[in-house]
Amino acid sequence: MCRTILSLLIFGSFIVTFADSAIQTDWSGGSGVWAPVNDWSNQFYLADYINWGSIPGDIILQIPAGHTVAEDFNGVDWIYSEDIDGDGDMDILGAAINADDITWWENTDGSGTLWTEHTIDGDYNGARCVYSEDIDGDGDMDVLGAPWEDDLNWWENIDGSGTSWIEHTIDEYFPQTATVYSEDIDGDGDMDVISASTSSNVVNWWENEDGTGTNWIEHLIDMGFDWGFCIYAEDVNGDGDMDVLGASVNADDIIWWENEDGLGTSWIEHTVDDYFYAVGFVYSEDIDNDGDMDVLGASSHLDAIAWWENTNGSGTSWVKHTVDSDFDGASSAFAVDIDGDGDVDIIGSAWTADEIAWWENTDGSGTSWVKYSIEVDFDGATSVYAEDFNGDGDMDVLGASRFDDKIVWWDLSEYSSEGSLESTILNTGSNPQWASVDWNSSEPAGTDLYFQYKTSSDYQNMGIWSDPVYEPCFLSGMLDKYFQYKVTMETDDPNSTPTLHDITLNWDPYGIEGDHCTSVYSLPGVIPNPICGAVSICFGLPETSMVSLSVFDLSGRLISEIHGDEYSPGFHDILIGDLSPGIYFCRMISGDFTATQRFVVID
């Protein structure tokens, strides 16, 4: 922000005055602004490998670009991860509603950099959701799918390698299923299936009668759940059996159904929240680390990610905590320990904002959250998940983009080794004497940042960058009207990044010869004070006068002298040159006027 002020920098007994100041503390407006501005606001010109959106008010090194798994999976709507081929690394599954595909991608070398696509079903009408579980109990992972049309199916992984599949029908008419999930609902040791039909407002579970997935018995959980869009299973009340949770878009409800007898034959409905507008996603995890299961939800209409605290552990009393109320078009959420600190963080996708982000659970209790954007140009971000795709022991983030037709994963543990940001050109409104550059930053071990500057009277020809400046410092010398800075960040540790909090520029317009009138003789002296670099002495004259200037060191030895030159009215800046660090005195004599000022030269 550029404004006319009188700011004081006090160094011991020395007081330095500056007439103008500019500060930048926010870069959230993004890149692209080159032309001169009177106020930096939250804009800048360009950035390479710099993250300017993840921490409000700060800039850090960027996490390397995401690893693309698929870039033409038409209308990808859901993603999941499991070791499909049993080779010990994590593979990826996807459902594409436009392509009608259920597909999995083989993590070919286990590092997440090379993927081989395998189609499970290329004609699954309106494929909306995909999930994986060992349905037939043979020790390998099978796949379930939810279509927007009619039948609910699972595919048997014939040889455990994911190269040969046999389709099995769970229900041949269960229309417009948005999600499908598998859990042992009746406690008999095999995996059952739950789902909801948005068109019939029914929530069902299917009993895997003989444990092989070839014979299913349908059981009703709820027949009045208005447009149930998401289903999940968890032991909500801590009694040892699996309950069911649901999100109702039309009723704005998050509901859980208590598995009363543990057999799935009797259900009691409990409300978590009866007005989370158009809620489209529900999940369960112990968010506050108190030993019971809480509930996580996403509402695209409220642009919100929230969680509900299971306050008594029995699921009958809930307290809502908002994680983010400005996540535009929040479409999905997932809870997992992203930063490896032992508590549960949250990741999410935002349909309208085109964003994948994560929120750090800063105190472990779920009451304080810090947002970090992962990707802000992911068109129609619809689904998010987390898994370790490169086998380094850290959680990675997986995202799906409906309109980009992409599936991408990001390794959040690694920062780019170097990045830079260039500011918008600042119009100082004059040709000032440069005074000071100051900034606030955090630089963990193995990281560094430095600045370079450009100044010119022509903003279309700014010239070359200055030498690097590694510490906040006073500079001197005539500067021109337009100013631009460049900050470069470096790290030797991929797990650490420097952080820039703000940068402040101060200057003094007294350096313009003849541009400022004065009615008195004056000796502002050396500006700034202390100073590093070449020393200039500023003085003011009310009329044309003869001036003598002398510079002495602390011992009284004469260092420099200008004697008997004539100067016009106004302020003048006389370059003395480089001086060794130390304390000096400058004396001015003009007619009957005599003044002395003390100044300090620093490295």
Side-chain angles (χ1 to χ4, degrees):
M1 181 168 55
C2 183
R3 59 199 184 278
T4 300
I5 63 170
L6 183 65
S7 60
L8 299 181
L9 297 185
I10 301 175
F11 299 88
S13 61
F14 305 107
I15 298 179
V16 186
T17 63
F18 300 115
D20 289 279
S21 179
I23 183 171
Q24 184 154 25
T25 62
D26 183 13
W27 296 263
S28 64
S31 57
V33 179
W34 165 259
V37 296
N38 297 322
D39 181 347
W40 272 318
S41 184
N42 61 356
Q43 304 285 338
F44 59 92
Y45 174 49
L46 61 83
D48 291 317
Y49 300 103
I50 291 289
N51 187 327
W52 43 266
S54 66
I55 308 175
D58 290 342
I59 56 175
I60 60 175
L61 283 169
Q62 187 180 66
I63 294 167
H67 302 273
T68 299
V69 179
E71 54 187 355
D72 57 356
F73 197 49
N74 189 10
V76 54
D77 216 31
W78 198 278
I79 47 177
Y80 188 68
S81 178
E82 187 53 79
D83 183 6
I84 297 297
D85 53 6
D87 62 355
D89 53 50
M90 300 307 296
D91 308 304
I92 291 171
L93 296 112
I97 196 168
N98 294 341
D100 301 325
D101 280 357
I102 300 289
T103 299
W104 76 280
W105 289 264
E106 179 186 353
N107 191 349
T108 309
D109 60 0
S111 69
T113 58
L114 183 62
W115 299 90
T116 303
E117 181 176 345
H118 302 273
T119 300
I120 298 172
D121 193 320
D123 190 26
Y124 196 52
N125 196 4
R128 173 67 180 81
C129 181
V130 65
Y131 188 70
S132 181
E133 188 52 81
D134 182 8
I135 299 297
D136 53 8
D138 64 354
D140 54 48
M141 301 307 296
D142 307 304
V143 172
L144 297 105
W148 201 240
E149 300 293 338
D150 298 339
D151 53 342
L152 194 65
N153 298 89
W154 74 278
W155 292 265
E156 181 183 354
N157 190 350
I158 298 298
D159 59 3
S161 68
T163 57
S164 180
W165 301 89
I166 296 178
E167 181 180 344
H168 300 273
T169 299
I170 299 169
D171 194 311
E172 62 184 11
Y173 186 73
F174 196 68
Q176 294 186 0
T177 54
T179 54
V180 64
Y181 192 71
S182 180
E183 189 51 81
D184 182 6
I185 299 297
D186 54 8
D188 64 354
D190 54 48
M191 303 307 295
D192 308 304
V193 172
I194 56 174
S195 189
S197 168
T198 58
S199 61
S200 61
N201 301 327
V202 170
V203 180
N204 281 349
W205 75 278
W206 290 264
E207 179 184 353
N208 189 351
E209 189 180 21
D210 61 2
T212 66
T214 56
N215 190 28
W216 300 89
I217 299 175
E218 182 179 359
H219 300 273
L220 178 68
I221 297 175
D222 194 319
M223 61 183 303
F225 195 54
D226 192 7
W227 233 73
F229 201 72
C230 188
I231 293 294
Y232 191 70
E234 186 52 79
D235 182 7
V236 175
N237 57 0
D239 64 354
D241 53 52
M242 299 307 297
D243 308 303
V244 173
L245 297 106
S248 168
V249 172
N250 286 352
D252 310 318
D253 287 347
I254 296 179
I255 301 292
W256 76 278
W257 294 271
E258 179 183 355
N259 190 350
E260 189 179 17
D261 59 3
L263 301 175
T265 58
S266 178
W267 299 89
I268 299 175
E269 179 179 316
H270 301 273
T271 299
V272 177
D273 194 316
D274 60 4
Y275 189 72
F276 193 53
Y277 184 48
V279 54
F281 194 89
V282 68
Y283 185 71
S284 181
E285 186 53 84
D286 182 6
I287 304 291
D288 53 6
N289 198 31
D290 64 353
D292 54 50
M293 302 307 294
D294 307 303
V295 172
L296 176 66
S299 166
S300 60
H301 284 62
L302 290 178
D303 304 325
I305 303 284
W307 73 280
W308 289 261
E309 179 184 355
N310 189 350
T311 55
N312 60 7
S314 67
T316 57
S317 177
W318 300 91
V319 174
K320 180 183 177 182
H321 302 274
T322 299
V323 178
D324 196 320
S325 59
D326 192 27
F327 196 49
D328 196 7
S331 52
S332 72
F334 187 67
V336 68
D337 184 6
I338 291 292
D339 54 7
D341 63 354
D343 55 46
V344 175
D345 308 302
I346 290 171
I347 59 176
S349 60
W351 176 276
T352 308
D354 303 327
E355 185 173 5
I356 302 292
W358 76 280
W359 293 263
E360 180 185 359
N361 189 351
T362 56
D363 62 1
S365 68
T367 56
S368 178
W369 300 91
V370 174
K371 179 186 175 183
Y372 300 88
S373 292
I374 298 170
E375 175 61 70
V376 294
D377 188 21
F378 205 53
D379 196 6
T382 185
S383 184
V384 70
Y385 194 70
E387 190 51 82
D388 180 8
F389 295 110
N390 57 3
D392 64 355
D394 299 317
M395 279 293 168
D396 308 307
V397 172
L398 181 68
S401 163
R402 167 77 78 86
F403 302 128
D404 281 337
D405 304 323
K406 286 184 178 180
I407 299 175
V408 177
W409 72 273
W410 296 268
D411 181 357
L412 302 190
S413 66
E414 296 183 358
Y415 292 99
S416 299
S417 60
E418 181 176 319
S420 63
L421 179 143
E422 296 181 23
S423 73
T424 298
I425 297 171
L426 182 72
N427 182 358
T428 67
S430 61
N431 292 77
Q433 166 70 46
W434 180 243
S436 75
V437 182
D438 194 12
W439 64 85
N440 291 300
S441 62
S442 302
E443 298 165 48
T447 73
D448 203 356
L449 62 80
Y450 60 84
F451 284 85
Q452 294 170 277
Y453 312 108
K454 289 181 180 179
T455 182
S456 175
S457 59
D458 179 3
Y459 71 86
Q460 294 181 324
N461 183 20
M462 291 296 292
I464 63 173
W465 293 109
S466 71
D467 292 335
V469 176
Y470 287 89
E471 297 291 339
C473 185
F474 291 97
L475 306 173
S476 67
M478 264 318 201
L479 292 193
D480 286 310
K481 184 176 182 179
Y482 300 106
F483 176 85
Q484 185 180 23
Y485 72 82
K486 176 181 179 181
V487 58
T488 298
M489 296 182 167
E490 300 174 330
T491 183
D492 294 329
D493 180 358
N495 298 310
S496 296
T497 177
T499 303
L500 178 64
H501 307 299
D502 58 66
I503 176 172
T504 301
L505 315 172
N506 296 289
W507 65 90
D508 194 312
Y510 284 154
I512 310 170
E513 296 199 16
D515 281 2
H516 292 264
C517 296
T518 177
S519 61
V520 297
Y521 291 90
S522 63
L523 178 62
V526 175
I527 301 174
N529 184 8
I531 192 169
C532 67
V535 173
S536 295
I537 298 175
C538 178
F539 61 90
L541 303 172
E543 58 188 1
T544 300
S545 305
M546 301 293 290
V547 177
S548 295
L549 294 173
S550 303
V551 176
F552 304 89
D553 65 15
L554 193 58
S555 70
R557 182 169 59 96
L558 181 65
I559 301 299
S560 179
E561 187 175 34
I562 297 174
H563 183 68
D565 289 343
E566 186 176 275
Y567 294 88
S568 61
F571 283 97
H572 301 267
D573 221 285
I574 304 301
L575 180 65
I576 300 300
D578 292 330
L579 298 179
S580 300
I583 298 174
Y584 297 87
F585 297 87
C586 65
R587 184 175 64 193
M588 171 186 170
I589 300 175
S590 182
D592 294 333
F593 176 80
T594 301
T596 301
Q597 293 284 1
R598 183 166 54 170
F599 65 95
V600 178
V601 176
I602 60 176
D603 285 328

